[in-house]
Amino acid sequence: MLDIRPFATLGHADHGWLDAHYHFSFSDYQDRNRMHWGRLRVWNDDRIAPHNGFGAHPHRDMEIITYVRTGAITHEDSLGNRGRTEAGDVQVMSAGSGITHSEFNREDEATTLFQIWLIPDGTGGKPSWGTRPFPRHERNGRLVPLASGFPEDNALPIRTRGRVCGATLMAGETLTFQTDRTMFTYLVPATGSVEIDGRIVGHRDGAALRDVESITITAREDAEIVLVESAALR
């Protein structure tokens, strides 16, 4: 199964300082056919104006991954963590039993990012936060785990049976991703466009896949892709 969700069909909210597009139901955008994909609950495509951001607010029982596309985001939380995550890098917040945080663009340019939420395997637990650089050139032609619930992936840890991966492809380049039929896969080209099984997935479109054992992705132009694989939600 391959369901392509064009960018123009996503939910949208423009708050001036925040221009957000929603791949799944979020805030005032509600679509019963787009509630989650496996354990993937939220994929927001955000543009945050310079010197603006999300003030302190709470979360619990959610794995929140931020993939910065351009600019940078500065994080602060109730555990005393503070850090700046730049374009191409990733931060993970495991909300666990509860955490309060803020996310601000303190730069002089707009920041664009993907905000990805995964439902954890269980509730509660000690909250945590971490960030890590993932240079884009180290992802050339291959999918690299960025955040993962599988220790062997050597990525930022998350508390769910799933992973977030990134890759960069040159125009015409092809890669094959091995999965299994029990997992749900969701892919978005952060830049460029790709082809999967003869179908085009454009810049910032979503592609939902399931019941497949491998995915062959071909770049129609230079492309940067982000892929989430997660187990079924029970």
Side-chain angles (χ1 to χ4, degrees):
M1 172 189 170
L2 170 58
D3 177 24
I4 297 174
R5 302 174 178 182
F7 182 74
T9 71
L10 305 183
H12 181 224
D14 189 349
H15 301 286
W17 67 271
L18 170 67
D19 187 16
H21 291 81
Y22 308 130
H23 285 262
F24 298 93
S25 295
F26 190 85
S27 187
D28 293 334
Y29 168 64
Q30 296 295 313
D31 182 340
R32 64 184 180 87
N33 296 315
R34 296 185 180 180
M35 292 302 298
H36 64 92
W37 192 247
R39 290 189 171 273
L40 175 59
R41 176 61 187 86
V42 169
W43 192 312
N44 291 352
D45 182 328
D46 291 345
R47 182 184 186 278
I48 304 170
H51 307 290
N52 279 275
F54 302 91
H57 59 284
H59 290 282
R60 65 176 300 148
D61 297 326
M62 194 66 68
E63 303 298 294
I64 299 175
I65 300 99
T66 304
Y67 181 95
V68 182
R69 295 162 52 210
T70 62
I73 198 78
T74 297
H75 167 99
E76 296 185 47
D77 64 42
S78 53
L79 301 178
N81 295 309
R82 188 179 192 277
R84 179 176 176 273
T85 303
E86 299 182 348
D89 298 341
V90 177
Q91 68 173 18
V92 168
M93 186 176 74
S94 292
S97 58
I99 189 171
T100 298
H101 76 131
S102 64
E103 305 289 339
F104 267 88
N105 173 16
R106 302 195 182 281
E107 315 302 311
D108 294 328
E109 61 177 326
T111 289
T112 62
L113 52 82
F114 291 146
Q115 190 180 155
I116 297 166
W117 297 12
L118 289 164
I119 298 167
D121 290 338
T123 59
K126 185 178 179 180
S128 64
W129 173 85
T131 186
R132 180 172 158 185
F134 290 94
R136 286 184 170 109
H137 70 271
E138 294 182 2
R139 298 180 241 153
N140 290 344
R142 64 191 186 104
L143 279 160
V144 173
L146 310 173
S148 176
F150 305 101
E152 65 270 20
D153 281 345
N154 188 30
L156 285 164
I158 53 177
R159 302 169 186 172
T160 191
R161 188 165 176 260
R163 54 172 60 90
V164 180
C165 300
T168 56
L169 296 173
M170 301 292 289
E173 191 172 10
T174 294
L175 69 79
T176 299
F177 177 70
Q178 301 293 330
T179 181
D180 67 60
R181 294 185 182 277
T182 68
M183 302 292 272
F184 291 71
T185 302
Y186 199 85
L187 178 151
V188 179
T191 61
S193 62
V194 301
E195 188 174 305
I196 301 175
D197 295 336
R199 298 179 64 188
I200 296 170
V201 184
H203 176 215
R204 296 161 76 189
D205 291 351
L209 301 101
R210 63 174 298 189
D211 197 26
V212 295
E213 293 180 352
S214 67
I215 305 163
T216 299
I217 305 161
T218 302
R220 301 178 71 247
E221 56 194 310
D222 291 354
E224 177 183 353
I225 60 175
V226 180
L227 177 150
V228 171
E229 178 185 46
S230 69
L233 181 62
R234 302 187 187 281

